[in-house]
Amino acid sequence: MKLFVYHTPELTPTDQTPECAIAVDVLRATSTMATVLASGGEAVQVFSDLDQLLEVSEKWPAKHRLRAGERGGAKVAGFDLGNSPLDCTPELVQGRRLFISTTNGTRALKRVQDAPIVLTAALINRAAVVQFLLDQQPESVWIVGSGWEGSFSLEDTVCAGAIAHSILQHTQLSPAALAGNDEVISAIALYSQWQNNLLGLLHQASHGQRLLRLECHEDLKYCSQTDILDVLPIQQEPGVLKSQS
Ligand code: MLT
């Protein structure tokens, strides 16, 4: 297995496709997706465009759908939900499809949706993602961070590092043997430095600070936890993720 980390969708190569692509948006899209599927949601369907989301979800029975829209960290007016994983309780999401569009996270997923295997990862479901990689042994794996509007984000890179670190712990591989690019080594270094204070790192992150200004303290706490949900969001058709059973 060769692992590559790309900090943003913009930095991700356009002329190749890996066997397995993993989209990461710790704050908060992929944390929300893991939570919805772990809480019994039927599926998560992602859109870059809000109008397209409304058009497609309109054809879905109203009682079986939820529409989540986030821009700049805030809920989009007229949508059922913003992008807080804490709103995705089993009572609300059970049996329903979440139609979601967020500022960066859904763009990252769109960027890699043609790969044969597409997963989403966050810190909260890291162990399930690592177990899948250890079981399936894909030859090439790309972890694509969402960043923020084209810029690097600490929280996505630390999650990439958490995944790589765990693979190293479960295998005989050296960091150099696992790493397909230098970003993997730096992601492992970031995780190694902050693994016992991930909430502290999220507080340093620029998007963490944006969310704190929006009073989303509890979201940061929730998203900074590691391995709390045994759920693997896996793409079934372009843009549609379900929980691997
Ligand atoms: C994004 O897609 O940029 C994020 O998930 C934003 C957010 O925290 O809601």
Side-chain angles (χ1 to χ4, degrees):
M1 184 191 324
K2 272 287 180 197
L3 184 66
F4 298 78
V5 171
Y6 298 106
H7 294 311
T8 64
E10 290 77 7
L11 288 169
T12 307
T14 50
D15 56 347
Q16 302 155 42
T17 311
E19 191 178 337
C20 175
I22 305 172
V24 175
D25 185 10
V26 169
L27 294 175
R28 293 164 294 174
T30 57
S31 297
T32 296
M33 291 173 196
T35 304
V36 166
L37 294 176
S39 301
E42 179 266 332
V44 172
Q45 187 161 357
V46 303
F47 296 82
S48 320
D49 183 70
L50 291 167
D51 290 334
Q52 201 195 357
L53 183 160
L54 291 172
E55 192 187 319
V56 173
S57 61
E58 198 53 44
K59 300 182 186 112
W60 207 258
K63 66 176 184 181
H64 290 141
R65 77 172 179 231
L66 281 167
R67 291 159 162 170
E70 168 275 332
R71 289 294 179 266
K75 175 175 175 285
V76 177
F79 280 65
D80 302 313
L81 297 171
N83 189 22
S84 173
L86 298 178
D87 290 338
C88 302
T89 59
E91 296 71 34
L92 182 70
V93 306
Q94 184 80 40
R96 300 170 96 175
R97 176 169 295 209
L98 184 78
F99 295 86
I100 183 169
S101 177
T102 71
T103 313
N104 303 285
T106 51
R107 279 194 314 120
L109 203 44
K110 286 274 167 195
R111 177 67 202 78
V112 293
Q113 73 178 11
D114 294 334
I117 304 170
V118 178
L119 312 174
T120 66
L123 292 165
I124 56 176
N125 70 329
R126 183 265 312 250
V129 171
V130 169
Q131 194 56 54
F132 177 88
L133 296 176
L134 296 174
D135 291 346
Q136 300 297 318
Q137 292 290 328
E139 223 166 82
S140 55
V141 179
W142 290 5
I143 302 179
V144 177
S146 301
W148 186 266
E149 295 181 341
S151 301
F152 173 91
S153 71
L154 283 169
E155 64 275 16
D156 296 341
T157 300
V158 85
C159 182
I163 293 169
H165 186 269
S166 181
I167 293 171
L168 292 178
Q169 284 194 322
H170 286 91
T171 63
Q172 305 296 319
L173 290 171
S174 66
L178 177 66
N181 61 5
D182 286 1
E183 287 88 333
V184 176
I185 306 295
S186 71
I188 294 169
L190 183 69
Y191 176 71
S192 300
Q193 175 79 18
W194 287 91
Q195 59 183 313
N196 296 320
N197 186 15
L198 290 166
L199 180 57
L201 181 68
L202 297 196
H203 276 254
Q204 303 275 332
S206 55
H207 185 49
Q209 291 177 15
R210 182 178 295 107
L211 290 174
L212 290 173
R213 289 193 292 275
L214 292 166
E215 311 282 331
C216 298
H217 302 79
E218 294 303 318
D219 282 10
L220 260 68
K221 270 194 209 162
Y222 177 77
C223 295
S224 70
Q225 302 173 95
T226 310
D227 304 338
I228 59 163
L229 296 183
D230 186 16
V231 66
L232 182 73
I234 185 161
Q235 183 174 262
Q236 306 292 311
E237 58 186 91
V240 179
L241 296 133
K242 294 196 176 184
S243 171
Q244 164 121 320
S245 43

PDB file of all heavy atoms in Angstrom, residues 201-227:
ATOM      1  N   LEU A 201      -5.478  21.492  19.239  1.00  0.00           N
ATOM      2  CA  LEU A 201      -5.101  21.790  17.848  1.00  0.00           C
ATOM      3  C   LEU A 201      -6.280  22.407  17.089  1.00  0.00           C
ATOM      4  O   LEU A 201      -6.113  23.362  16.328  1.00  0.00           O
ATOM      5  CB  LEU A 201      -4.619  20.515  17.143  1.00  0.00           C
ATOM      6  CG  LEU A 201      -4.175  20.742  15.696  1.00  0.00           C
ATOM      7  CD1 LEU A 201      -2.907  21.585  15.631  1.00  0.00           C
ATOM      8  CD2 LEU A 201      -3.958  19.423  14.974  1.00  0.00           C
ATOM      9  N   LEU A 202      -7.476  21.848  17.305  1.00  0.00           N
ATOM     10  CA  LEU A 202      -8.649  22.401  16.603  1.00  0.00           C
ATOM     11  C   LEU A 202      -8.900  23.859  17.027  1.00  0.00           C
ATOM     12  O   LEU A 202      -9.362  24.672  16.231  1.00  0.00           O
ATOM     13  CB  LEU A 202      -9.894  21.545  16.842  1.00  0.00           C
ATOM     14  CG  LEU A 202      -9.858  20.100  16.330  1.00  0.00           C
ATOM     15  CD1 LEU A 202     -11.263  19.507  16.276  1.00  0.00           C
ATOM     16  CD2 LEU A 202      -9.185  19.943  14.984  1.00  0.00           C
ATOM     17  N   HIS A 203      -8.557  24.178  18.265  1.00  0.00           N
ATOM     18  CA  HIS A 203      -8.687  25.578  18.710  1.00  0.00           C
ATOM     19  C   HIS A 203      -7.686  26.502  18.013  1.00  0.00           C
ATOM     20  O   HIS A 203      -7.931  27.685  17.866  1.00  0.00           O
ATOM     21  CB  HIS A 203      -8.523  25.675  20.235  1.00  0.00           C
ATOM     22  CG  HIS A 203      -9.782  25.390  20.992  1.00  0.00           C
ATOM     23  ND1 HIS A 203     -10.522  26.359  21.611  1.00  0.00           N
ATOM     24  CD2 HIS A 203     -10.434  24.234  21.206  1.00  0.00           C
ATOM     25  CE1 HIS A 203     -11.587  25.812  22.173  1.00  0.00           C
ATOM     26  NE2 HIS A 203     -11.553  24.518  21.955  1.00  0.00           N
ATOM     27  N   GLN A 204      -6.514  25.922  17.601  1.00  0.00           N
ATOM     28  CA  GLN A 204      -5.507  26.733  16.884  1.00  0.00           C
ATOM     29  C   GLN A 204      -5.896  26.936  15.418  1.00  0.00           C
ATOM     30  O   GLN A 204      -5.461  27.894  14.786  1.00  0.00           O
ATOM     31  CB  GLN A 204      -4.149  26.009  16.849  1.00  0.00           C
ATOM     32  CG  GLN A 204      -3.572  25.630  18.185  1.00  0.00           C
ATOM     33  CD  GLN A 204      -2.792  26.759  18.803  1.00  0.00           C
ATOM     34  OE1 GLN A 204      -2.249  27.592  18.096  1.00  0.00           O
ATOM     35  NE2 GLN A 204      -2.774  26.817  20.113  1.00  0.00           N
ATOM     36  N   ALA A 205      -6.661  25.991  14.892  1.00  0.00           N
ATOM     37  CA  ALA A 205      -6.946  25.979  13.455  1.00  0.00           C
ATOM     38  C   ALA A 205      -7.817  27.179  13.068  1.00  0.00           C
ATOM     39  O   ALA A 205      -8.721  27.573  13.812  1.00  0.00           O
ATOM     40  CB  ALA A 205      -7.679  24.674  13.102  1.00  0.00           C
ATOM     41  N   SER A 206      -7.585  27.738  11.889  1.00  0.00           N
ATOM     42  CA  SER A 206      -8.342  28.945  11.513  1.00  0.00           C
ATOM     43  C   SER A 206      -9.842  28.643  11.394  1.00  0.00           C
ATOM     44  O   SER A 206     -10.672  29.446  11.812  1.00  0.00           O
ATOM     45  CB  SER A 206      -7.806  29.545  10.216  1.00  0.00           C
ATOM     46  OG  SER A 206      -7.819  28.575   9.201  1.00  0.00           O
ATOM     47  N   HIS A 207     -10.177  27.455  10.854  1.00  0.00           N
ATOM     48  CA  HIS A 207     -11.620  27.159  10.783  1.00  0.00           C
ATOM     49  C   HIS A 207     -12.179  26.819  12.162  1.00  0.00           C
ATOM     50  O   HIS A 207     -13.357  27.104  12.445  1.00  0.00           O
ATOM     51  CB  HIS A 207     -11.907  26.043   9.775  1.00  0.00           C
ATOM     52  CG  HIS A 207     -13.379  25.813   9.586  1.00  0.00           C
ATOM     53  ND1 HIS A 207     -14.266  26.850   9.342  1.00  0.00           N
ATOM     54  CD2 HIS A 207     -14.136  24.686   9.665  1.00  0.00           C
ATOM     55  CE1 HIS A 207     -15.495  26.373   9.261  1.00  0.00           C
ATOM     56  NE2 HIS A 207     -15.449  25.067   9.461  1.00  0.00           N
ATOM     57  N   GLY A 208     -11.339  26.247  13.032  1.00  0.00           N
ATOM     58  CA  GLY A 208     -11.768  26.037  14.417  1.00  0.00           C
ATOM     59  C   GLY A 208     -12.126  27.383  15.042  1.00  0.00           C
ATOM     60  O   GLY A 208     -13.153  27.526  15.708  1.00  0.00           O
ATOM     61  N   GLN A 209     -11.295  28.377  14.811  1.00  0.00           N
ATOM     62  CA  GLN A 209     -11.562  29.711  15.379  1.00  0.00           C
ATOM     63  C   GLN A 209     -12.823  30.333  14.777  1.00  0.00           C
ATOM     64  O   GLN A 209     -13.608  30.978  15.457  1.00  0.00           O
ATOM     65  CB  GLN A 209     -10.348  30.608  15.175  1.00  0.00           C
ATOM     66  CG  GLN A 209      -9.191  30.137  16.033  1.00  0.00           C
ATOM     67  CD  GLN A 209      -7.920  30.927  15.843  1.00  0.00           C
ATOM     68  OE1 GLN A 209      -7.926  32.012  15.285  1.00  0.00           O
ATOM     69  NE2 GLN A 209      -6.823  30.357  16.306  1.00  0.00           N
ATOM     70  N   ARG A 210     -13.029  30.077  13.478  1.00  0.00           N
ATOM     71  CA  ARG A 210     -14.256  30.580  12.839  1.00  0.00           C
ATOM     72  C   ARG A 210     -15.492  29.958  13.519  1.00  0.00           C
ATOM     73  O   ARG A 210     -16.462  30.642  13.841  1.00  0.00           O
ATOM     74  CB  ARG A 210     -14.238  30.221  11.347  1.00  0.00           C
ATOM     75  CG  ARG A 210     -15.428  30.732  10.556  1.00  0.00           C
ATOM     76  CD  ARG A 210     -15.317  30.370   9.077  1.00  0.00           C
ATOM     77  NE  ARG A 210     -14.203  31.009   8.415  1.00  0.00           N
ATOM     78  CZ  ARG A 210     -13.069  30.402   8.032  1.00  0.00           C
ATOM     79  NH1 ARG A 210     -12.912  29.109   8.208  1.00  0.00           N
ATOM     80  NH2 ARG A 210     -12.108  31.068   7.447  1.00  0.00           N
ATOM     81  N   LEU A 211     -15.403  28.636  13.768  1.00  0.00           N
ATOM     82  CA  LEU A 211     -16.544  27.956  14.395  1.00  0.00           C
ATOM     83  C   LEU A 211     -16.731  28.405  15.846  1.00  0.00           C
ATOM     84  O   LEU A 211     -17.867  28.519  16.314  1.00  0.00           O
ATOM     85  CB  LEU A 211     -16.350  26.434  14.318  1.00  0.00           C
ATOM     86  CG  LEU A 211     -16.483  25.845  12.912  1.00  0.00           C
ATOM     87  CD1 LEU A 211     -16.129  24.356  12.909  1.00  0.00           C
ATOM     88  CD2 LEU A 211     -17.898  26.034  12.362  1.00  0.00           C
ATOM     89  N   LEU A 212     -15.635  28.707  16.529  1.00  0.00           N
ATOM     90  CA  LEU A 212     -15.766  29.213  17.906  1.00  0.00           C
ATOM     91  C   LEU A 212     -16.478  30.563  17.904  1.00  0.00           C
ATOM     92  O   LEU A 212     -17.316  30.835  18.768  1.00  0.00           O
ATOM     93  CB  LEU A 212     -14.395  29.325  18.570  1.00  0.00           C
ATOM     94  CG  LEU A 212     -13.716  27.986  18.899  1.00  0.00           C
ATOM     95  CD1 LEU A 212     -12.288  28.212  19.390  1.00  0.00           C
ATOM     96  CD2 LEU A 212     -14.512  27.209  19.937  1.00  0.00           C
ATOM     97  N   ARG A 213     -16.197  31.373  16.893  1.00  0.00           N
ATOM     98  CA  ARG A 213     -16.892  32.682  16.801  1.00  0.00           C
ATOM     99  C   ARG A 213     -18.385  32.482  16.555  1.00  0.00           C
ATOM    100  O   ARG A 213     -19.202  33.325  16.886  1.00  0.00           O
ATOM    101  CB  ARG A 213     -16.287  33.545  15.685  1.00  0.00           C
ATOM    102  CG  ARG A 213     -14.879  34.083  16.017  1.00  0.00           C
ATOM    103  CD  ARG A 213     -14.455  35.177  15.036  1.00  0.00           C
ATOM    104  NE  ARG A 213     -14.227  34.706  13.682  1.00  0.00           N
ATOM    105  CZ  ARG A 213     -13.083  34.173  13.231  1.00  0.00           C
ATOM    106  NH1 ARG A 213     -12.040  34.029  14.052  1.00  0.00           N
ATOM    107  NH2 ARG A 213     -12.960  33.760  11.982  1.00  0.00           N
ATOM    108  N   LEU A 214     -18.718  31.318  15.938  1.00  0.00           N
ATOM    109  CA  LEU A 214     -20.139  31.015  15.681  1.00  0.00           C
ATOM    110  C   LEU A 214     -20.747  30.202  16.839  1.00  0.00           C
ATOM    111  O   LEU A 214     -21.798  29.590  16.695  1.00  0.00           O
ATOM    112  CB  LEU A 214     -20.271  30.226  14.368  1.00  0.00           C
ATOM    113  CG  LEU A 214     -19.935  31.005  13.088  1.00  0.00           C
ATOM    114  CD1 LEU A 214     -19.766  30.054  11.900  1.00  0.00           C
ATOM    115  CD2 LEU A 214     -21.020  32.031  12.774  1.00  0.00           C
ATOM    116  N   GLU A 215     -20.043  30.176  17.976  1.00  0.00           N
ATOM    117  CA  GLU A 215     -20.521  29.486  19.189  1.00  0.00           C
ATOM    118  C   GLU A 215     -20.617  27.967  19.027  1.00  0.00           C
ATOM    119  O   GLU A 215     -21.499  27.339  19.596  1.00  0.00           O
ATOM    120  CB  GLU A 215     -21.917  30.012  19.629  1.00  0.00           C
ATOM    121  CG  GLU A 215     -22.056  31.513  19.699  1.00  0.00           C
ATOM    122  CD  GLU A 215     -21.404  32.082  20.966  1.00  0.00           C
ATOM    123  OE1 GLU A 215     -21.361  31.374  21.967  1.00  0.00           O
ATOM    124  OE2 GLU A 215     -20.914  33.232  20.893  1.00  0.00           O
ATOM    125  N   CYS A 216     -19.738  27.391  18.222  1.00  0.00           N
ATOM    126  CA  CYS A 216     -19.795  25.941  17.986  1.00  0.00           C
ATOM    127  C   CYS A 216     -18.757  25.185  18.839  1.00  0.00           C
ATOM    128  O   CYS A 216     -18.097  24.254  18.367  1.00  0.00           O
ATOM    129  CB  CYS A 216     -19.570  25.633  16.506  1.00  0.00           C
ATOM    130  SG  CYS A 216     -20.817  26.335  15.421  1.00  0.00           S
ATOM    131  N   HIS A 217     -18.624  25.569  20.100  1.00  0.00           N
ATOM    132  CA  HIS A 217     -17.623  24.931  20.982  1.00  0.00           C
ATOM    133  C   HIS A 217     -17.834  23.429  21.073  1.00  0.00           C
ATOM    134  O   HIS A 217     -16.885  22.654  21.022  1.00  0.00           O
ATOM    135  CB  HIS A 217     -17.709  25.503  22.404  1.00  0.00           C
ATOM    136  CG  HIS A 217     -17.504  26.976  22.468  1.00  0.00           C
ATOM    137  ND1 HIS A 217     -18.479  27.883  22.151  1.00  0.00           N
ATOM    138  CD2 HIS A 217     -16.414  27.699  22.803  1.00  0.00           C
ATOM    139  CE1 HIS A 217     -18.015  29.103  22.295  1.00  0.00           C
ATOM    140  NE2 HIS A 217     -16.764  29.026  22.690  1.00  0.00           N
ATOM    141  N   GLU A 218     -19.103  23.037  21.224  1.00  0.00           N
ATOM    142  CA  GLU A 218     -19.384  21.603  21.425  1.00  0.00           C
ATOM    143  C   GLU A 218     -19.046  20.803  20.168  1.00  0.00           C
ATOM    144  O   GLU A 218     -18.648  19.641  20.253  1.00  0.00           O
ATOM    145  CB  GLU A 218     -20.855  21.389  21.824  1.00  0.00           C
ATOM    146  CG  GLU A 218     -21.206  21.967  23.171  1.00  0.00           C
ATOM    147  CD  GLU A 218     -20.330  21.420  24.308  1.00  0.00           C
ATOM    148  OE1 GLU A 218     -20.067  20.209  24.327  1.00  0.00           O
ATOM    149  OE2 GLU A 218     -19.899  22.229  25.155  1.00  0.00           O
ATOM    150  N   ASP A 219     -19.203  21.408  18.992  1.00  0.00           N
ATOM    151  CA  ASP A 219     -18.837  20.712  17.749  1.00  0.00           C
ATOM    152  C   ASP A 219     -17.341  20.409  17.730  1.00  0.00           C
ATOM    153  O   ASP A 219     -16.911  19.332  17.323  1.00  0.00           O
ATOM    154  CB  ASP A 219     -19.182  21.570  16.519  1.00  0.00           C
ATOM    155  CG  ASP A 219     -20.657  21.530  16.187  1.00  0.00           C
ATOM    156  OD1 ASP A 219     -21.438  21.000  16.994  1.00  0.00           O
ATOM    157  OD2 ASP A 219     -21.039  22.038  15.113  1.00  0.00           O
ATOM    158  N   LEU A 220     -16.529  21.378  18.150  1.00  0.00           N
ATOM    159  CA  LEU A 220     -15.083  21.154  18.166  1.00  0.00           C
ATOM    160  C   LEU A 220     -14.736  20.010  19.111  1.00  0.00           C
ATOM    161  O   LEU A 220     -13.931  19.144  18.769  1.00  0.00           O
ATOM    162  CB  LEU A 220     -14.333  22.433  18.594  1.00  0.00           C
ATOM    163  CG  LEU A 220     -13.749  23.240  17.436  1.00  0.00           C
ATOM    164  CD1 LEU A 220     -14.833  23.868  16.592  1.00  0.00           C
ATOM    165  CD2 LEU A 220     -12.810  24.319  17.941  1.00  0.00           C
ATOM    166  N   LYS A 221     -15.371  20.016  20.281  1.00  0.00           N
ATOM    167  CA  LYS A 221     -15.105  18.943  21.257  1.00  0.00           C
ATOM    168  C   LYS A 221     -15.452  17.595  20.657  1.00  0.00           C
ATOM    169  O   LYS A 221     -14.690  16.638  20.741  1.00  0.00           O
ATOM    170  CB  LYS A 221     -15.973  19.150  22.511  1.00  0.00           C
ATOM    171  CG  LYS A 221     -15.337  19.975  23.560  1.00  0.00           C
ATOM    172  CD  LYS A 221     -16.141  19.799  24.852  1.00  0.00           C
ATOM    173  CE  LYS A 221     -16.015  21.062  25.673  1.00  0.00           C
ATOM    174  NZ  LYS A 221     -17.030  21.184  26.696  1.00  0.00           N
ATOM    175  N   TYR A 222     -16.632  17.527  20.046  1.00  0.00           N
ATOM    176  CA  TYR A 222     -17.094  16.256  19.471  1.00  0.00           C
ATOM    177  C   TYR A 222     -16.156  15.798  18.349  1.00  0.00           C
ATOM    178  O   TYR A 222     -15.729  14.640  18.314  1.00  0.00           O
ATOM    179  CB  TYR A 222     -18.518  16.451  18.949  1.00  0.00           C
ATOM    180  CG  TYR A 222     -19.090  15.227  18.255  1.00  0.00           C
ATOM    181  CD1 TYR A 222     -19.557  14.154  19.001  1.00  0.00           C
ATOM    182  CD2 TYR A 222     -19.156  15.164  16.859  1.00  0.00           C
ATOM    183  CE1 TYR A 222     -20.068  13.022  18.369  1.00  0.00           C
ATOM    184  CE2 TYR A 222     -19.673  14.041  16.228  1.00  0.00           C
ATOM    185  CZ  TYR A 222     -20.125  12.981  16.982  1.00  0.00           C
ATOM    186  OH  TYR A 222     -20.616  11.862  16.357  1.00  0.00           O
ATOM    187  N   CYS A 223     -15.813  16.707  17.451  1.00  0.00           N
ATOM    188  CA  CYS A 223     -15.012  16.332  16.272  1.00  0.00           C
ATOM    189  C   CYS A 223     -13.560  16.014  16.626  1.00  0.00           C
ATOM    190  O   CYS A 223     -12.848  15.423  15.810  1.00  0.00           O
ATOM    191  CB  CYS A 223     -15.041  17.460  15.235  1.00  0.00           C
ATOM    192  SG  CYS A 223     -16.672  17.760  14.536  1.00  0.00           S
ATOM    193  N   SER A 224     -13.118  16.403  17.817  1.00  0.00           N
ATOM    194  CA  SER A 224     -11.719  16.149  18.196  1.00  0.00           C
ATOM    195  C   SER A 224     -11.532  14.765  18.802  1.00  0.00           C
ATOM    196  O   SER A 224     -10.410  14.355  19.074  1.00  0.00           O
ATOM    197  CB  SER A 224     -11.249  17.208  19.208  1.00  0.00           C
ATOM    198  OG  SER A 224     -11.891  17.020  20.458  1.00  0.00           O
ATOM    199  N   GLN A 225     -12.626  14.036  18.996  1.00  0.00           N
ATOM    200  CA  GLN A 225     -12.508  12.693  19.588  1.00  0.00           C
ATOM    201  C   GLN A 225     -12.063  11.689  18.522  1.00  0.00           C
ATOM    202  O   GLN A 225     -12.406  11.812  17.355  1.00  0.00           O
ATOM    203  CB  GLN A 225     -13.856  12.260  20.160  1.00  0.00           C
ATOM    204  CG  GLN A 225     -14.386  13.215  21.215  1.00  0.00           C
ATOM    205  CD  GLN A 225     -15.794  12.842  21.617  1.00  0.00           C
ATOM    206  OE1 GLN A 225     -16.010  12.145  22.580  1.00  0.00           O
ATOM    207  NE2 GLN A 225     -16.758  13.287  20.839  1.00  0.00           N
ATOM    208  N   THR A 226     -11.309  10.689  18.976  1.00  0.00           N
ATOM    209  CA  THR A 226     -10.764   9.701  18.039  1.00  0.00           C
ATOM    210  C   THR A 226     -11.450   8.350  18.241  1.00  0.00           C
ATOM    211  O   THR A 226     -11.618   7.903  19.388  1.00  0.00           O
ATOM    212  CB  THR A 226      -9.247   9.536  18.287  1.00  0.00           C
ATOM    213  OG1 THR A 226      -8.659  10.831  18.311  1.00  0.00           O
ATOM    214  CG2 THR A 226      -8.584   8.740  17.186  1.00  0.00           C
ATOM    215  N   ASP A 227     -11.846   7.729  17.118  1.00  0.00           N
ATOM    216  CA  ASP A 227     -12.302   6.327  17.105  1.00  0.00           C
ATOM    217  C   ASP A 227     -13.568   6.086  17.938  1.00  0.00           C
ATOM    218  O   ASP A 227     -13.714   5.019  18.534  1.00  0.00           O
ATOM    219  CB  ASP A 227     -11.197   5.386  17.631  1.00  0.00           C
ATOM    220  CG  ASP A 227      -9.899   5.506  16.857  1.00  0.00           C
ATOM    221  OD1 ASP A 227      -9.918   5.970  15.705  1.00  0.00           O
ATOM    222  OD2 ASP A 227      -8.848   5.118  17.420  1.00  0.00           O
TER     223      ASP A 227
END
